[in-house]
Amino acid sequence: MKKIFFISMCCVICLCGCSNNEKANFNYTNEEQLEKEITTNLDQIVEVTDITSSNPYDYTKNDFYRNIVKLGKDAVPVLENMYKNKKLSGVNAYLSALAIQDITKCNLHEEYNLDWSTAEEFYALWEDNNCSFKK
């Protein structure tokens, strides 16, 4: 009985010694966390969507896109900064524009009769016509 107890205690001590009790040393700001979450989801969108599709709305029909939208209004300035800092391009830039519209519920065409077909056009229009969205 003592032998079993001794072996059990040794195992517990070994397991406790092997576990990492130190907290992860992440010093992310909220914006950095949001950017990381956005980037991760954008990467996943590309993985689950047929990349031969020329319809950017096909890229919005998955949980990863919805995850970005669910980040809420705090994600809007992060998406804007990612675009301005050239961290988004191609379909990801376009998806960021769609996400901003979905998050803010401010569709530029419906609100201002403004059409855009590229992320560049969206962000140029968004600067002046953002349905009074407050950051």
Side-chain angles (χ1 to χ4, degrees):
M1 183 72 155
K2 286 183 180 182
K3 195 178 208 179
I4 293 174
F5 179 75
F6 177 76
I7 292 172
S8 296
M9 290 306 292
C10 287
C11 288
V12 169
I13 291 170
C14 281
L15 289 174
C16 288
C18 292
S19 69
N20 184 0
N21 291 331
E22 199 174 309
K23 288 184 180 177
N25 189 17
F26 297 120
N27 292 322
Y28 293 129
T29 64
N30 190 41
E31 285 187 10
E32 289 170 326
Q33 289 171 328
L34 287 169
E35 184 175 321
K36 183 176 177 168
E37 186 71 22
I38 290 166
T39 301
T40 299
N41 280 289
L42 287 172
D43 290 344
Q44 290 298 314
I45 290 170
V46 174
E47 293 290 323
V48 299
T49 307
D50 178 12
I51 59 171
T52 61
S53 174
S54 61
N55 182 354
Y57 290 93
D58 287 346
Y59 290 79
T60 65
K61 298 173 183 171
N62 57 69
D63 288 334
F64 303 109
Y65 177 79
R66 285 186 285 278
N67 289 342
I68 295 170
V69 173
K70 286 179 188 176
L71 292 172
K73 291 188 177 191
D74 288 344
V76 173
V78 175
L79 288 162
E80 290 172 327
N81 288 333
M82 289 175 72
Y83 178 78
K84 286 177 189 171
N85 294 326
K86 305 209 184 301
K87 293 181 180 180
L88 299 172
S89 61
V91 71
N92 285 346
Y94 197 90
L95 288 171
S96 72
L98 293 176
I100 287 173
Q101 285 196 142
D102 286 344
I103 291 167
T104 63
K105 303 203 181 339
C106 178
N107 183 306
L108 295 179
H109 178 71
E110 293 171 4
E111 295 291 328
Y112 303 107
N113 201 27
L114 297 172
D115 290 324
W116 57 274
S117 59
T118 66
E120 293 79 17
E121 290 175 355
F122 170 81
Y123 281 102
L125 293 170
W126 176 254
E127 236 176 86
D128 296 325
N129 306 283
N130 58 21
C131 303
S132 300
F133 173 73
K134 303 293 182 209
K135 295 178 185 173

